[in-house]
Amino acid sequence: MSEAKSTYEAALERSQAIEKDIVINPKKYRVLTGDRPTGRLHIGHYFGSLQNRVRLSKLGVPTCILIADYQVLTDHDAFSEISQNTKQLVIDYLAAGIEPGEDVIIYPHSYVPEANQLMIPFLTLVSNAELSRNPTVKEEIQAAGLKSVNAGMYTYPVHQAVDILYCKGTVVPVGKDQLPHLEMTRLIARRFNEKFCKNSEPVFPMPQALLSKTPSIMGLDGSQKMSKSRGNAIMLSATEDETAALIKKAKTDSDRNITYDPENRPEVANLLMLISLCTGEEPETIAARIGDGGGGVLKRTLTEALNEKLRPMREERKKLEAAPDYIRQVLLNGAEKARAMAIETLKEVRHVMNMEI
Ligand code: TRP
């Protein structure tokens, strides 16, 4: 068994144990999740993670949703859009059913200065070699085709550890690609506690990944992950007509008889899976009903199911877009609560590091 695989399997086991317990003891945990503000969310984000965040927060799990505005600087020149994208993300979250309040907060991480201060001691707990080994970072460097890589790119996983640890987050719902960052966070927490907390209680809990159960959602081309930059996505904010037009162009195959066969018919299977995610029916049942209806009926069924599923969200979106002051207030309230937690943690950190004056 490869080392990577055993790390993954260990994470999967811990994830499954949490999934069982969190329903019974929601207050025992703190969920910390985040997105980069690079654009609006699409249905892959919704079914893959947002829906799960809504579920966890409604269970009563204290939830921090962080907008990673600093992280955008690692490989994007698009900083001119950061503020607008941040607000669009908030609108997507709220429209999907996140209800900000005492225990559920949304904020940009750049607004939490006391948390950012943890970056300095944390950087001393990892080596250059460990930073440059991170497979997700390597992939991002390649995908962006960067000629020269800024140091922020190599160190953002340490900053992600700050995101998770300043509020003592214990559960981090993520996809597989984020596991290396979570391993780095666990490494930093462990090293910090071992180095500075010999004579006291450990400051940081060990965060755990909560791995998504939804299979990764392919784009409408059926061959690669759904993403806005690949032009194969349906945005949550798309109109019903735009949704219909996009689905009309989706790739299928030449077999008129619709069957659910992810191995041999990935494009058709992906569309069936999307219908299933909207209606809760099994993809096989949907396929059997469509039968000889072919790609046309398949696409019409998906268009109707998706537009119906997204209708309440899209209506809510419109109301929220007309309330920019409210959106800003959600972020400011979130940042204030986040800062209160960061101030407490920084106090403890200073104490154990013998830096109090
Ligand atoms: N790296 C994550 C992404 O690209 C975003 C992120 C930043 C994040 N900080 C986080 C995710 C903390 C989980 C926890 O999507």
Side-chain angles (χ1 to χ4, degrees), residues 98-273:
I98 298 285
E99 292 174 38
E102 219 27 68
D103 262 352
V104 179
I105 60 175
I106 307 173
Y107 54 94
H109 64 179
S110 69
Y111 265 66
V112 195
E114 293 80 4
N116 289 314
Q117 208 167 317
L118 298 177
M119 185 70 176
I120 297 171
F122 283 7
L123 278 170
T124 66
L125 295 170
V126 292
S127 70
N128 258 348
E130 283 165 336
L131 292 177
S132 38
R133 263 206 296 276
N134 186 309
T136 300
V137 169
K138 281 197 211 160
E139 260 171 44
E140 282 165 351
I141 291 172
Q142 252 198 340
L146 300 178
K147 282 188 214 81
S148 101
V149 182
N150 67 60
M153 179 60 119
Y154 287 110
T155 51
Y156 89 74
V158 180
H159 195 251
Q160 191 153 326
V162 170
D163 288 339
I164 297 168
L165 293 176
Y166 92 88
C167 64
K168 305 192 178 177
T170 50
V171 176
V172 188
V174 283
K176 229 171 151 180
D177 65 316
Q178 296 292 305
L179 276 182
H181 301 345
L182 206 71
E183 285 306 316
M184 170 136 301
T185 303
R186 291 164 61 83
L187 191 72
I188 290 173
R190 192 176 320 119
R191 287 182 185 165
F192 185 95
N193 291 339
E194 276 168 13
K195 182 165 178 181
F196 299 113
C197 309
K198 284 199 189 80
N199 305 313
S200 62
E201 288 296 303
V203 171
F204 295 113
M206 278 294 157
Q208 318 271 1
L210 195 66
L211 291 158
S212 171
K213 276 179 292 188
T214 312
S216 125
I217 291 155
M218 297 290 133
L220 294 174
D221 48 6
S223 60
Q224 37 179 357
K225 204 174 140 183
M226 183 173 281
S227 85
K228 190 179 167 204
S229 59
R230 294 181 182 126
N232 62 8
I234 301 175
M235 310 313 283
L236 292 177
S237 57
T239 64
E240 299 203 357
D241 288 345
E242 284 163 356
T243 304
L246 285 164
I247 294 173
K248 214 171 207 162
K249 282 192 290 184
K251 200 161 168 250
T252 52
D253 56 35
S254 54
D255 187 347
R256 261 198 83 74
N257 185 30
I258 298 302
T259 54
Y260 184 64
D261 183 355
E263 272 291 292
N264 300 307
R265 307 182 69 185
E267 299 95 350
V268 167
N270 188 48
L271 300 184
L272 286 165
M273 175 55 69

